[in-house]
Amino acid sequence: IWLENNKWNEIEIDASEMFWALMGQAYHKILEGHDSNLSEMSLSLHMNDWEIRGRLDTLSLKEKTLSDWKLTKAYALVYRSSFPQWEAQLNIYAHMLRANLLFAVDKIQVFAAIRDWNKSKSGGDYPTSEHVTVPLRLWEPQEAEDYIVRRLTEIERSEEHTSELQS
């Protein structure tokens, strides 16, 4: 975060490294507005002198379910390596919805489109389809708030440490 905020003009990005990010954006655009759910909804929350912003993918009012669309690799599902980040992201969005008195969700999940899925490997821990739903644990409100406060504290400490190094 500090690098982006302070050295943005010096950062170089190889365009070829952005292909899957572009594909993910296209995937979201295609899915947007194809059902009666709320989609691509912007959220914000003020906490500890910070403004936290997010954009949820899909909110089903009928099912009280918050869903996020991910374009990912098969082994991210096999090893569950992305699950903690996905769970945190969706729980922060759920907390933002509650805190703004908009809605309380009962369930969070990821719809994963697997870009490197291989039918011959399916079975066991390997996904059996190129599209899977990953249910995630919905945190209690206090757990979500504690997580956000902890992360904001880590960011503040990092910024303080960085400014001390520059002095």
Side-chain angles (χ1 to χ4, degrees), residues 60-74:
S60 169
L61 300 175
K62 181 180 176 184
E63 297 176 12
K64 294 186 174 182
T65 302
L66 179 57
S67 304
D68 198 58
W69 297 87
K70 300 288 186 191
L71 187 58
T72 189
K73 292 186 176 185

Side-chain angles (χ1 to χ4, degrees), residues 1 15 22 28 35-36 41 46 62 67 78-79 92-93 97 99 103 111 117 121 126 129 132-133 138 143 145 158:
I1 294 173
L22 178 62
H28 280 259
D35 53 31
S36 61
M41 182 177 174
H46 294 276
K62 181 180 176 184
S67 304
V78 170
Y79 296 115
I92 290 169
Y93 290 166
L97 285 166
F103 196 75
F111 294 126
W117 184 74
K121 293 181 181 178
Y126 194 90
S129 170
V132 297
T133 301
L138 180 64
E143 183 180 1
E145 186 168 332
S158 174

Side-chain angles (χ1 to χ4, degrees), residues 4 8 10-18:
E4 286 182 2
W8 182 252
E10 298 172 35
I11 296 174
E12 291 184 20
I13 300 172
D14 184 342
S16 66
E17 295 174 8
M18 298 304 295

Side-chain angles (χ1 to χ4, degrees), residues 45-48 50 52 92 95 139 141-157:
L45 175 68
H46 294 276
M47 185 181 256
N48 294 4
W50 289 82
I52 304 165
I92 290 169
H95 185 72
W139 299 344
Q142 190 60 53
E143 183 180 1
E145 186 168 332
D146 291 346
Y147 176 85
I148 294 168
V149 169
R150 197 168 50 253
R151 293 294 293 158
L152 291 175
T153 302
E154 289 172 10
I155 292 168
E156 288 170 351
R157 286 184 184 147

Side-chain angles (χ1 to χ4, degrees), residues 37-99:
N37 298 329
L38 297 176
S39 61
E40 297 297 324
M41 182 177 174
S42 294
L43 300 168
S44 66
L45 175 68
H46 294 276
M47 185 181 256
N48 294 4
D49 297 325
W50 289 82
E51 180 181 18
I52 304 165
R53 293 186 208 173
R55 189 174 190 89
L56 64 81
D57 286 348
T58 306
L59 175 62
S60 169
L61 300 175
K62 181 180 176 184
E63 297 176 12
K64 294 186 174 182
T65 302
L66 179 57
S67 304
D68 198 58
W69 297 87
K70 300 288 186 191
L71 187 58
T72 189
K73 292 186 176 185
Y75 282 100
L77 297 170
V78 170
Y79 296 115
R80 301 173 172 259
S81 57
S82 299
F83 287 20
Q85 294 92 342
W86 295 349
E87 185 176 289
Q89 176 191 1
L90 287 172
N91 274 290
I92 290 169
Y93 290 166
H95 185 72
M96 293 166 86
L97 285 166
R98 279 190 305 268

